[in-house]
Amino acid sequence: MNDGENVALLDLLIKQATEGLDDAEKTELRKIESESDSAEIPDFEITAAAIGLLNINAAEQMPAYLHSRIQADSEKFFAASEKAASVERDHRYTSSPPSGAGRRSFFDWMGWAVAAAACIVLLANLWLTRVSNSPADRVQNQPVIVTPDESTPERQRQKLIETAPDVLVASVGAGNVANLKDISGDIVWSDSKQAGYMRFRGLPVNDKSKETYQLWIFDETQDPKTPIDGGTFDIDQNGEAVIPINAVLKARNPKMFAVTVEKPGGVVVSNRAKIVALAKTQAS
């Protein structure tokens, strides 16, 4: 075959293995094959095998038999290339050209070797592309959708207000501490959920080693002298703070809430010497 036929045959064989041929191309391929020595036509099964990999689970390793086949085919083609190069070198020092396959151009052999190498590269590329597009990678490469953080006290408070049918609200004001008059906020509570949240503005940051804040709940079931302990808490920074209520007893229809300053860890019964905030329900 001349160089033009070599190129045409190579193009048709690759397209046949990767895409398929139309009727005109099939006719052209049969014509070139019929006019060519069958020994000159390379084995393109490796290309077909590469395309077949598109249906293989990418999570699996390349099968051992396929790996061996690639290695064997590559060795065969490059051995042929080396043999052709040797024949060409011998031909330079002989008075008559070698017969049969020996007359084949070194560049013909080299062309088929390059084609074989291209097939091997194609196989590796298809395998790696398939792996990189595996379901695991697609999951990892999907954009991250950020949703509101439902775990924050602010979001939990809002959710309680939106979902509880019996939420009551108590507005926060100053207590009996003379230099703490700019305190505001509100307290929400649900009997059905037995949950609530305190929201303060202007409550000072406390020294945790010396004191803590403690909430007291005055409801219809308890003696006002012994209100329900609503839990201790600290204020870490200035500004608005939202704190969940941790009542030690079940509260029913609270009428008032009070926040006192106590020793670290809190107390069982407060003397109410330092009430920093008071909140009465709107119904009171």
Side-chain angles (χ1 to χ4, degrees), residues 23 49 53 61 68 70 78 112 117 137 139 155 218 220-221 225 242 268 275 278:
D23 292 340
L53 287 174
Q61 294 184 348
S68 299
I70 293 171
F78 286 111
W112 294 129
D137 279 350
V139 170
R155 291 292 301 173
F218 297 81
E220 63 184 17
T221 66
K225 295 179 181 179
V242 177
V268 176
I275 301 175
L278 280 173

Side-chain angles (χ1 to χ4, degrees), residues 119-196:
C119 291
I120 295 169
V121 171
L122 173 61
L123 175 58
N125 181 62
L126 286 172
W127 181 273
L128 294 174
T129 299
R130 178 68 173 171
V131 170
S132 68
N133 288 311
S134 65
D137 279 350
R138 286 197 295 272
V139 170
Q140 292 176 0
N141 293 331
Q142 286 179 351
V144 176
I145 301 174
V146 179
T147 57
D149 186 357
E150 297 289 346
S151 66
T152 64
E154 292 82 1
R155 291 292 301 173
Q156 292 174 343
R157 174 185 177 277
Q158 187 60 35
K159 186 175 181 180
L160 178 67
I161 294 172
E162 294 172 353
T163 59
D166 58 346
V167 173
L168 57 84
V169 180
S171 297
V172 170
N176 61 8
V177 180
N179 62 340
L180 294 179
K181 298 300 181 182
D182 296 327
I183 295 174
S184 62
D186 55 56
I187 294 176
V188 296
W189 175 264
S190 166
D191 276 0
S192 62
K193 300 282 188 179
Q194 284 296 297

Side-chain angles (χ1 to χ4, degrees), residues 2-253:
N2 57 38
D3 290 343
E5 290 174 332
N6 277 343
V7 172
L9 178 59
L10 179 61
D11 289 342
L12 289 170
L13 288 173
I14 291 177
K15 187 174 182 181
Q16 176 181 253
T18 59
E19 304 175 25
L21 303 176
D22 57 28
D23 292 340
E25 290 167 333
K26 290 177 182 177
T27 300
E28 183 181 359
L29 178 59
R30 286 195 294 270
K31 180 176 181 297
I32 295 176
E33 288 177 336
S34 65
E35 295 174 354
S36 304
D37 182 353
S38 61
E40 293 181 327
I41 301 174
D43 181 2
F44 272 78
E45 289 182 9
I46 188 170
T47 304
I51 302 305
L53 287 174
L54 293 176
N55 295 322
I56 293 178
N57 184 350
E60 298 175 359
Q61 294 184 348
M62 184 181 291
Y65 76 88
L66 185 56
H67 182 277
S68 299
R69 177 63 187 278
I70 293 171
Q71 184 175 1
D73 283 351
S74 63
E75 290 174 354
K76 179 178 69 176
F77 282 114
F78 286 111
S81 174
E82 179 61 28
K83 180 179 179 181
S86 177
V87 169
E88 182 68 16
R89 287 194 298 270
D90 292 344
H91 175 62
R92 294 176 184 175
Y93 300 103
T94 57
S95 57
S96 60
S99 60
R103 289 195 299 271
R104 187 175 301 142
S105 166
F106 166 73
F107 294 101
D108 286 344
W109 279 104
M110 199 61 187
W112 294 129
V114 170
C119 291
I120 295 169
V121 171
L122 173 61
L123 175 58
N125 181 62
L126 286 172
W127 181 273
L128 294 174
T129 299
R130 178 68 173 171
V131 170
S132 68
N133 288 311
S134 65
D137 279 350
R138 286 197 295 272
V139 170
Q140 292 176 0
N141 293 331
Q142 286 179 351
V144 176
I145 301 174
V146 179
T147 57
D149 186 357
E150 297 289 346
S151 66
T152 64
E154 292 82 1
R155 291 292 301 173
Q156 292 174 343
R157 174 185 177 277
Q158 187 60 35
K159 186 175 181 180
L160 178 67
I161 294 172
E162 294 172 353
T163 59
D166 58 346
V167 173
L168 57 84
V169 180
S171 297
V172 170
N176 61 8
V177 180
N179 62 340
L180 294 179
K181 298 300 181 182
D182 296 327
I183 295 174
S184 62
D186 55 56
I187 294 176
V188 296
W189 175 264
S190 166
D191 276 0
S192 62
K193 300 282 188 179
Q194 284 296 297
Y197 293 86
M198 300 171 277
R199 182 170 62 172
F200 299 110
R201 302 180 193 92
L203 198 60
V205 174
N206 62 295
D207 184 346
K208 298 177 185 179
S209 65
K210 297 179 179 179
E211 60 189 17
T212 190
Y213 292 112
Q214 190 164 1
L215 175 69
W216 304 96
I217 305 171
F218 297 81
D219 77 339
E220 63 184 17
T221 66
Q222 290 292 116
D223 186 325
K225 295 179 181 179
T226 56
I228 298 172
D229 180 1
T232 61
F233 62 94
D234 299 304
I235 299 296
D236 297 321
Q237 59 185 12
N238 295 322
E240 185 173 280
V242 177
I243 303 103
I245 295 173
N246 296 309
V248 297
L249 297 174
K250 186 174 291 186
R252 295 297 183 191
N253 193 23

